[in-house]
Structures are given as C-alpha cells and as structure tokens.
Amino acid sequence: MAIQFAKTLGFSSATALAMGALFYVLSAGKSAALAAYTVNDTYLGTVFVFVLALIIGLAVWPRVLEKKE
Amino acid sequence: MEDVRIKVEGMTCQHCQMQVHDAIAVLDGVTMVRVDIEAGEATVSYDSSKIDLEQIKQAVRDTGYQVLEEVEVCPVPTPDGMKLMTESLASMPVGAEVKDEAPPAGPKIAPSPPGRIETTTIGVTGMTCASCVQNIERGLGKLDGVLKVSVNLTTEKGTVEYDPGRITVHGIIKAVTDIGYGAEEIKGVDADREREAREKEILSQKRNLILALILAVPVSVGEMGQNIAPLVNAIPGIMGFLGNDYFQFIFATLVMLLPGRQFFSGAYKGLMHGATDMNLLIAAGTGSAYLISTASVFLDLGTGFEHKYFGTAVMLIAFIVLGRYMEANSRGKTSEAIKKLMGLQARTARIVVDKTEREVSIEDVKPGDIVVVRPGEKLPVDGIVVEGRSALDESMLTGESIPVEKNMGDEVIGATINKTGSFKYRATRVGSDTALAQIIKLVEDAQTSKAPIQRIADIVAGHFIVTVMSIALVAFFYWYFIGFERLDIAANYGIASPFLAALLIAITVLVIACPCAVGLATPIAVMVGTGKGAENGILIKGGEALETAQNLDTIVFDKTGTLTRGEPQLTDVVPVGGVSEDTLLMLAAVAEKGSEHPLGEAIVKGAAARGIDIPNGQDFNAIAGHGVQVTYEGSRVLLGTRKLMTDNGMDPAQLNNSMEAMENDGKTAMLIAKDNGIMGVIAVADTLKEHSAEAVKYLQEMGITTVMITGDNRLTAEAIARQVGIDRVLAEVLPQDKVAEVKKLQAKGQKVAMVGDGINDAPALMQADIGIALGSGTDVAMESAQIVLIKDDLRDVVSSIELSKRTMGKIKQGLFWAFAYNTAGIPIAVGLFGPYVIAPALAALFMAMSSVSVTANALLLKRFKLKRQEAV
C-alpha cells in the first residue's frame, strides 16, 4: 500500500513538475515580451498549474499503475 | 490458562488502544494483552480460575468501547498438538492466507470451507456523487476475497459478496473508511437508525447552510462594493467596513473552515487513495479563489491583483451547501416507502401465557404462541386463526381496500388491522420471517441494486472528474497565453492580471461540471419506482427487473391458479326425466361426499352453497378414471363418464348434446345415474379470476401479445382462452416443457414475461426475461420471480409494466438533463462563447440546481396510479 502510494506520488510529482516547468518557461517568455505578464503572474500560474497537475496525476497514476501490474 | 481474541468497536487512535489495553491489563488473572487497533481486536491470555471472559469484556465496556462478539477462544496448545478451536469463520483477518499445511504452534484461525460466500450490507456515509460510488466499488473490488460489490448513492448502502475465509466484514469496512468515507455494517432493518442518519445529515447541512449564508452574504456584498448603491447610501460607512480586506479575509476563512471544511477534508481523504469526487472539484475551485485573494491581502502582488475574490469563494460554498441541503431533504423523501412499511409493524403483542393474556414486546413473540387480537388492533406477527373470526384490513400490504374475511384455519399476516371481531391465532412466523419483514428486505435489496443503465452512468461520472480537471487545466493555459491577449481582457473586462483572468475561467469549469446529478438520476428514480410499487403490493426485485420490464412484448400466463381461480366450481346442473335440480345435485353430492378430488369437492361445495342437506351414502367405490359408485337408500348411484354409464348398460345419448356444449366451454361434465337410469348431467369448471379478462385487454392495448400455457387439453384450454380473450394458446404442455415453450418464444426475439403461481412454474419464471409470481402462490414461485404481486389481481401485471416504463422514463429524463447541464455548462465555462459569460458563483448555483431538479423530477413518480386504482 505504502509502496503503491509512494510510486503514485512520485509519478504525479514528476508530471506536475514537468507541467509547472512548461508553464514557467512559456510564461517567462511572455513576461519578457509583454508588460501585462508580471513575475507574480508567472509564479502564481506555475503554482496553480503544478497543484492542478498534481491532483490530476494523483487521480490518474494509480489507475495506470494498476493496469500495468 | 485460556487465550481469547475479542472484537472491540470504537477504537480510533493510539489513545483508544492504550485505554483498552490498560483496562484489561490491570485485571487480576490476565497474563498477556495485545490490542490491535487495525483489526479492532484485543488478544488476551488469562487464568480462568481467577477471572472469566465476561469480566474481561465488561472491563472493555466500562472504558466506553463496544465488545462486538467473541471472535476466537483458543485453548493453549498441548504437547500432542493443537486442539480444535471454536471460532467464527467470519473472523479471518484481511489478507490472511489459508494454506493446506500443518498448523503452527499457537493460536490459529481455521480456514473457511471452500466456496463459501457471504453477503453483507454496509451503510456508507460521505458519498456525494457517482464518482464516490466508483471509488468505493473500485477500492473494495481490489480486496482479496471480495467477489462482488454494489454501492448505491441514494440509499447510502453497499452490498458486498465476500469469501469469509479470506476477508472479514471488519476488513471491508476498514477499506471503505481508508478511502475517506464512513462505513458500518447493517444488520437487519433498523428504522430508527435510518431515520436518525437522515435527520443528522439534513440537520448538519442545514447548519452549514445557515452559517455559510450568514458569513458569505456580507463578504459578497463587500466585494460588490459600489455596484449596490442603495445599500451604500442607506448605511453610511457600511461599504468601508464590509469591503475591508481584513474583514473579508476573516469571514471567508470562517466559511472555508466551517461549512467548507467538508469539501477539503473529503477531497484530501479521497486523493490520498487515488479517489476523485466532486469534493475535489469544489475544493480546487474555491481553494484557488480563496488562496489568491489571501495572498493579495498580505503580499504586494502588483498590478491586477487589487481585486479580491473572497466573495466568489464563499458564495460558491454557500450555493453548493444549499444544493446538498436540498438533496438531503429529497433523499429523505425517496425512502418514504421503506419508512411506511417499517411503520406498519406493531410494537407489542398480547399473547396467552398460562391461560392469561399478557402484553409483551413483539420481539418476545415466538412461533407457536397464541396471540389475541381485538377490534381495531394491528396484528403483530403472521399466523393461523385458531379461535374466532373477523375481517382484516390488508390494504397496507396489498393495496386492496376491502376488508378480507378470516375464519378458523385461515392465514393472517402481521401488520394488517383487525376490523371487526376479536380472535386468537397461533404465531407461525415472527421477527425477520414475517411477511412484512420479508417485503421490507426485498424492497431494500431492490433499492440497493442497480439498473444496468446506472452502471454506465457511474462509469461515465467516475471518469468525468479527471476529465473536467484536465479541461480546466487546458482552459487555464489557453486563457493565460492566448485568450488574455487576443480578447484584451484587461481593457474589456477590467482584469489586469492574466493569471487571474485564466484562474476565474478554470474555477468556473471546475465548479459547473460536477457530475452529481448524473449519479443521482438513476438511483433516485429506482428508489421511488420500487417504493411506489411496494406501497401497492407490487414487489420489484431490483433495478434490472425494472429496466427489463419496460421492453416486454409477450406475456405468458399460466392458466390454473393464475388466469383461473385454480379451484373448480359447480357451473351446470341439467336434470332429465322430471328429476329436480336439487335432487340431482343431492345425489351427486352423496356420491362425492368425503371425496378429496377437486371435482368432487366442487360438487359438494356447490350443493352446500344451495343449502342442500347431504346425507351419507354407503359402499363408496372409486372407479379409477371413470367415476364413483355409492349406495344410497338401497339404490346404486353412479357418477362419472359416458364410459361408466355404457359399461353399466346405460345409454347416455339423450344428454350428448348438453355434454358436448359443456365440454366445448372447457367444463368437465359428469353423468349421474340411479338404479340403472340416467338422471342428468352436472358440470364443474375452473372459473376465471375477477380481473383476468380486464388485465389481458389492457395488455393487448399496450401492444403486448398474451399467451396462455396449460397442461389441459386443447378444447378446455381454448374455451378458457376465449373467455379471457387471450391471443395465443399453448395447450397440453407438460410442466417440465413450460421452460422450452418460453425459450422458443425468446428464440424468436421476443421479450417474454412469465406469470405463474405454482412450483411447476418456477423454472419458466426463471427462464423468462421477467418472472412475475402471484403472492397467493408458492414460496418457490415467489423466489424464482423478479416481480411479486402481493394482491391476487392480474391488473397489477399491467401496473408493473407501466411503473417500469414510467421509472425508466424518469431515469432517462434525469440522465438527459444531468448530462445536458454538464455538456452545455462546460463550453460556456471554458469561454467558447466568450469569457465570463457565467460567473463562478452562478456556476455553483447551476450545478446545485441540476441535482435538485433531477431529484424533484424523479419524485413526480409518486403520483403514478395503478390500473386498479384508475378503475376505481
């Protein structure tokens, strides 16, 4: 049970980090080009994307891992 | 020295574990205690000469915990091996292995016999939508030893089939609580527990709603600010106060922590086990709005973050709590049928003990007790009348309003009301064996079962949450990177921050797309439909039967006992040669007096009904297959077939026409002769039940083909078929061939229902797509059927089909509207028709109303009227 949860958390965190990083890079690019996109927008957006992606990951990964097993 | 393992209920933490441990450990004579909080058990070694088991149990009870049952008493191993142990087979711990190897030293749990399956019903709390159902079913389905799971959102119950050798009920309950829901085993039918649970839920949501409104309205008003000028002008300074960031933060925090806590704790518990439900959507939506607003109160986030969204977050919570409150109220209404049935039960009984009447609790009545009932009283249990007579109002069970006469030897049913005279009866079925208890169990099982259509809805709803969250994420990306700039949100909508612009869209998506209405549509309609049936004596054993019944196109009726009364009655008396009808009937009755043959009984009853005195005959002689011979006042009397007469030298030709006419009408004609002279003919026949023809007519109007199946010869069968108006006759069918006939119809693609009452109908009832048994029939027939008609009225066959159609109609309407809300709501929320067409708080109101409207629509089924009620 604990191993399963650790795996899920690991995969979910990795997915969320990837999504967060993607958002951060894209947003940083926008921020450099447009004044309306502030650093705070980038940071807050990254956190939001990370959290939402983590939640999605925690819901999806157990099913994926279960199917693989 | 003895070792014992006892099951302790109520331990939730290490503190509880220590309390139980210490309470036992201090007892004189206890040598070892081990308390396992996971298994909810305490293992104790003790010296039985110093202390007994009851004292140990009492010590646990004294600490405030419940001792559920003695799980295992294990004698200390002797040098020559283990002694046999007495234990409950259901006590096997989760995951325990059963191996065919030598037992190890020390206590051991014996394996369950292979192939043994048990079923338990658990009450589940905390479910909010179809995803919860999926979460629990998936969680339990993964457990070793669990064979089948069915969880019902509306009844908040789950039925689990399991192998007690591999898992315990405790293990099942623990698995449910681990996912984040409340669970407890339900034993029997407990009206008070059900009512209390419902009331508790309604009260809890009512409190949450009041609190949410008190706290949310000022926050929302403060957020709206100058937009509500009249209020601002009426109370000077009010906006300054309500619009203050710190005031807004404090009130919003209270909303999040008090009425909103249920969403966050539910989402957290579920997420820890990979389970997603609507709590997660609400927590994500409201949490985001709250957190970003809080951050902008305490941190300088720069341009665009001046506006706070506390009002949005708290109104979201308030509307969703409003929806839950209304839903809890509606759910209470759906289970009214069960409540009504439970309420029928008498609380006490008056029984005869040592020749005196004594009032006892209904639980103390045992089979064989003599129960006394006075006019106006309710019968406490089922039984048989042994003294007196009366008329009973059985309407509560059969829907029939006319009281039914009961005489000595008649069966009476508990919960019916004695209308006129006092009488005594012997209790035959008590407790959970009574007809009422069986009906309640049947209805409960039906309401917990699922219609096949619901499984599809559950699966869709189960995947819906993740899909919605993914859509919200994609929408956030789009509105952040593309939409904000393209539509110039800052200039056109006054939101300067791209993050906030995209966040509002994402929150709206999360909130509007909760699939709670999808999950409610089917179970609520099934509950109301089966409940409505039960109130009127139509017991539908589950959602599957309800769904199948709507598609029936052929109904096969058994003849005897179903279309007909099953008891032949005297129909014709035709004397010849100047003999009177009464004399002829008297002679026939003399010949058949004492006969146990149904035809003979019909003649005797017919004579008695005409007030004819029936003297005794002598030298009774049954002539197999032909009739009887008896001596009366020195004369020989013959009663029987043509052949009996010709064998005795008489010519029945003069009565041939009459006999043939009777036989063409499906009657059995018998000649009577006295001293070698034929005196006349009498006929008996199985007559139609009162409403058979009417029921057949209704079915034909509905486009259903009616078929009669019987072992009778074609002539008799067709005569009955003509009277009842049946479309097709299957005559001379042996009982064992009824199944084959049903199969033949099914092979032609017809959806067949079989209506019967006898043991010989049971296989055909099982074979048919729907088996419909009459309550007056045998237990075997009722167990084999999916629909049982308590009242012996064939119009209820029509009502069952109509009820099924109406219920399925409500399910389809419910599912349509539920999916329509979501499918229409999501494109609007993501901004397909422009951003912010719908505000997040309004989205929450829409979502809440979708559940309420689906429930209210299903409740309209309560207005359904049965065919026999319409006729009245």
Side-chain angles (χ1 to χ4, degrees):
Chain A
M1 193 78 170
I3 295 170
Q4 175 80 5
F5 183 70
K7 269 189 190 175
T8 303
L9 194 62
F11 281 113
S12 304
S13 303
T15 315
L17 278 172
M19 291 298 293
L22 174 70
F23 181 88
Y24 181 83
V25 171
L26 293 173
S27 182
K30 275 272 188 190
S31 188
L34 286 166
Y37 289 78
T38 64
V39 179
N40 283 334
D41 284 320
T42 301
Y43 288 154
L44 290 169
T46 304
V47 172
F48 181 74
V49 168
F50 175 81
V51 173
L52 210 55
L54 185 68
I55 291 171
I56 295 169
L58 285 172
V60 173
W61 277 110
R63 295 178 205 183
V64 176
L65 292 173
E66 204 176 288
K67 275 184 189 166
K68 278 194 172 181
E69 280 165 10
Chain B
M1 195 69 76
E2 297 266 4
D3 283 359
V4 68
R5 191 182 297 173
I6 51 179
K7 200 168 178 183
V8 183
E9 193 190 47
M11 294 190 292
T12 54
C13 59
Q14 281 193 326
H15 176 71
C16 307
Q17 190 179 10
M18 287 300 291
Q19 267 191 316
V20 174
H21 178 275
D22 294 349
I24 301 171
V26 295
L27 297 173
D28 187 23
V30 171
T31 55
M32 187 279 289
V33 192
R34 195 173 59 241
V35 180
D36 183 349
I37 190 169
E38 293 281 307
E41 288 171 351
T43 309
V44 186
S45 298
Y46 66 100
D47 186 347
S48 54
S49 64
K50 290 184 178 172
I51 189 168
D52 65 24
L53 182 58
E54 193 46 46
Q55 286 172 290
I56 297 171
K57 286 181 178 177
Q58 193 53 47
V60 177
R61 289 191 197 108
D62 289 346
T63 58
Y65 300 93
Q66 281 286 105
V67 176
L68 288 186
E69 60 182 296
E70 184 183 321
V71 173
E72 188 180 5
V73 178
C74 345
V76 173
T78 58
D80 55 344
M82 286 285 293
K83 285 182 188 172
L84 283 174
M85 289 169 281
T86 57
E87 79 275 320
S88 157
L89 288 165
S91 64
M92 195 83 167
V94 179
E97 286 182 15
V98 179
K99 291 177 181 170
D100 295 322
E101 57 188 34
K108 162 189 168 291
I109 295 171
S112 158
R116 189 177 151 202
I117 295 169
E118 287 189 3
T119 303
T120 184
T121 305
I122 51 171
V124 185
T125 54
M127 291 191 292
T128 53
C129 62
S131 299
C132 303
V133 173
Q134 282 279 296
N135 293 335
I136 296 168
E137 288 187 347
R138 203 173 49 236
L140 290 183
K142 281 193 283 191
L143 297 178
D144 180 34
V146 170
L147 309 172
K148 196 175 168 191
V149 192
S150 176
V151 178
N152 188 300
L153 177 65
T154 314
T155 57
E156 297 186 313
K157 283 179 190 163
T159 310
V160 186
E161 270 183 30
Y162 67 101
D163 177 354
R166 286 152 65 200
I167 191 163
T168 61
V169 173
H170 176 77
I172 292 166
I173 287 171
K174 190 172 177 302
V176 178
T177 51
D178 278 351
I179 307 171
Y181 301 94
E184 62 173 340
E185 190 183 10
I186 296 174
K187 285 178 180 166
V189 176
D190 186 345
D192 294 337
R193 193 198 70 83
E194 301 252 336
R195 199 192 62 245
E196 277 171 25
R198 290 270 177 235
E199 284 172 359
K200 203 174 153 189
E201 167 73 4
I202 293 169
L203 190 70
S204 160
Q205 293 302 350
K206 192 177 176 180
R207 264 198 226 120
N208 282 332
L209 177 63
I210 293 169
L211 205 57
L213 288 175
I214 291 172
L215 295 168
V217 170
V219 176
S220 195
V221 169
E223 189 182 293
M224 283 187 265
Q226 300 303 321
N227 297 334
I228 40 176
L231 182 68
V232 177
N233 298 334
I235 314 168
I238 183 90
M239 289 318 298
F241 177 68
L242 295 181
N244 180 279
D245 283 352
Y246 294 105
F247 165 81
Q248 293 240 323
F249 164 71
I250 292 166
F251 268 50
T253 305
L254 288 174
V255 173
M256 293 290 151
L257 291 178
L258 299 171
R261 190 177 58 184
Q262 55 181 319
F263 305 114
F264 293 95
S265 61
Y268 173 74
K269 281 182 195 167
L271 210 51
M272 287 301 102
H273 294 86
T276 51
D277 57 21
M278 72 175 273
N279 287 322
L280 189 61
L281 294 180
I282 295 160
T286 56
S288 309
Y290 172 77
L291 285 177
I292 189 60
S293 303
T294 305
S296 58
V297 169
F298 295 101
L299 304 171
D300 179 14
L301 298 178
T303 317
F305 289 91
E306 299 83 5
H307 191 81
K308 313 295 182 297
Y309 294 94
F310 286 124
T312 303
V314 294
M315 285 316 283
L316 277 174
I317 298 273
F319 283 135
I320 292 158
V321 171
L322 169 72
R324 285 205 177 172
Y325 169 66
M326 292 172 80
E327 199 179 301
N329 262 322
S330 305
R331 280 194 203 182
K333 282 182 189 152
T334 58
S335 58
E336 267 173 11
I338 293 274
K339 276 190 222 159
K340 275 187 193 168
L341 287 170
M342 286 173 175
L344 293 176
Q345 213 155 28
R347 300 274 177 197
T348 58
R350 197 178 301 105
I351 60 170
V352 178
V353 182
D354 298 332
K355 294 182 182 172
T356 55
E357 290 178 17
R358 186 182 295 173
E359 189 152 323
V360 295
S361 164
I362 192 168
E363 289 83 18
D364 296 330
V365 182
K366 294 178 184 65
D369 282 349
I370 301 296
V371 183
V372 184
V373 196
R374 290 179 187 148
E377 286 183 348
K378 207 178 261 185
L379 275 65
V381 293
D382 299 355
I384 291 169
V385 179
V386 292
E387 192 183 315
R389 52 184 295 180
S390 184
L392 299 187
D393 176 2
E394 295 185 339
S395 60
M396 58 292 296
L397 297 179
T398 63
E400 172 59 61
S401 55
I402 302 164
V404 183
E405 283 287 331
K406 296 287 175 182
N407 296 303
M408 266 183 66
D410 284 347
E411 210 171 313
V412 290
I413 307 168
T416 54
I417 294 169
N418 180 22
K419 298 294 280 186
T420 51
S422 291
F423 69 96
K424 289 179 183 172
Y425 72 97
R426 193 177 64 249
T428 52
R429 288 183 298 187
V430 301
S432 59
D433 293 331
T434 62
L436 179 67
Q438 298 285 332
I439 290 169
I440 293 171
K441 174 86 177 63
L442 205 145
V443 176
E444 280 224 315
D445 288 348
Q447 297 190 334
T448 313
S449 76
K450 284 188 182 184
I453 197 170
Q454 191 182 338
R455 298 209 173 271
I456 301 164
D458 283 354
I459 290 167
V460 172
H463 291 98
F464 205 74
I465 306 265
V466 175
T467 312
V468 168
M469 298 207 83
S470 306
I471 292 172
L473 190 60
V474 172
F476 181 81
F477 265 83
Y478 174 81
W479 285 101
Y480 186 92
F481 291 109
I482 302 167
F484 179 78
E485 200 184 331
R486 185 174 288 175
L487 294 179
D488 200 0
I489 300 289
N492 295 326
Y493 297 91
I495 303 170
S497 158
F499 167 72
L500 287 177
L503 182 70
L504 281 179
I505 299 270
I507 290 171
T508 312
V509 173
L510 290 173
V511 173
I512 207 167
C514 284
C516 38
V518 177
L520 282 173
T522 313
I524 284 195
V526 169
M527 271 193 86
V528 179
T530 50
K532 184 74 197 174
E535 282 174 29
N536 292 285
I538 299 171
L539 304 181
I540 301 169
K541 296 183 185 172
E544 194 168 344
L546 210 53
E547 190 166 336
T548 311
Q550 61 158 353
N551 297 320
L552 293 171
D553 55 20
T554 306
I555 307 243
V556 180
F557 289 95
D558 164 54
K559 192 205 94 180
T560 312
T562 303
L563 285 170
T564 66
R565 293 180 201 279
E567 288 177 7
Q569 289 184 322
L570 182 70
T571 55
D572 300 85
V573 181
V574 182
V576 290
V579 180
S580 72
E581 279 193 13
D582 283 1
T583 306
L584 183 67
L585 191 52
M586 185 270 288
L587 284 173
V590 167
E592 290 289 5
K593 193 174 181 183
S595 167
E596 288 179 358
H597 193 282
L599 298 180
E601 283 179 355
I603 293 170
V604 174
K605 275 187 190 169
R610 292 189 183 199
I612 296 169
D613 189 35
I614 308 165
N616 289 325
Q618 290 92 42
D619 307 326
F620 179 87
N621 182 25
I623 304 150
H626 298 295
V628 292
Q629 175 185 307
V630 69
T631 305
Y632 172 63
E633 290 181 343
S635 301
R636 186 178 68 149
V637 176
L638 289 170
L639 172 91
T641 60
R642 293 179 183 88
K643 188 162 188 323
L644 181 69
M645 300 300 152
T646 51
D647 285 353
N648 286 276
M650 288 172 274
D651 182 9
Q654 57 173 326
L655 284 165
N656 258 351
N657 287 344
S658 301
M659 286 183 79
E660 275 172 16
M662 291 173 189
E663 283 163 351
N664 283 339
D665 284 343
K667 298 169 183 172
T668 304
M670 288 166 278
L671 292 158
I672 298 122
K674 185 182 173 191
D675 290 337
N676 293 334
I678 292 178
M679 304 188 75
V681 61
I682 61 172
V684 296
D686 190 3
T687 51
L688 283 182
K689 283 184 183 170
E690 197 181 351
H691 302 294
S692 297
E694 199 182 341
V696 168
K697 186 174 134 265
Y698 284 138
L699 289 170
Q700 287 164 341
E701 283 170 7
M702 290 165 78
I704 293 172
T705 307
T706 53
V707 180
M708 186 180 82
I709 195 163
T710 176
D712 288 355
N713 64 63
R714 182 151 290 279
L715 202 65
T716 309
E718 284 183 347
I720 292 286
R722 272 196 305 277
Q723 289 173 43
V724 79
I726 217 114
D727 296 321
R728 197 176 154 203
V729 179
L730 299 170
E732 293 163 23
V733 178
L734 296 171
Q736 60 270 29
D737 294 337
K738 284 184 179 176
V739 175
E741 293 295 338
V742 171
K743 275 185 185 167
K744 274 185 206 167
L745 293 169
Q746 287 173 317
K748 289 177 192 165
Q750 286 165 287
K751 284 274 177 201
V752 182
M754 168 79 198
V755 188
D757 69 328
I759 292 172
N760 63 343
D761 297 323
L765 289 170
M766 303 260 288
Q767 173 61 39
D769 296 290
I770 289 287
I772 302 176
L774 301 183
S776 57
T778 60
D779 289 347
V780 177
M782 283 189 273
E783 275 168 29
S784 308
Q786 290 107 311
I787 296 176
V788 177
L789 310 178
I790 296 180
K791 188 170 162 16
D792 206 6
D793 187 332
L794 285 184
R795 286 176 300 180
D796 284 351
V797 173
V798 186
S799 298
S800 315
I801 296 167
E802 282 189 341
L803 187 60
S804 150
K805 286 186 174 174
R806 295 275 184 93
T807 308
M808 289 312 296
K810 288 291 173 201
I811 290 174
K812 285 172 189 167
Q813 286 166 22
L815 287 176
F816 171 80
W817 285 113
F819 280 117
Y821 272 116
N822 285 317
T823 46
I826 292 173
I828 295 171
V830 295
L832 211 65
F833 309 108
Y836 320 117
V837 170
I838 186 166
L842 199 59
L845 185 64
F846 264 42
M847 197 278 297
M849 288 307 111
S850 69
S851 303
V852 174
S853 61
V854 162
T855 309
N857 186 40
L859 286 172
L860 291 177
L861 256 181
K862 289 187 167 199
R863 294 182 182 176
F864 172 74
K865 274 199 165 184
L866 271 70
K867 267 286 170 233
R868 62 181 141 95
Q869 289 169 333
E870 280 177 13
V872 170

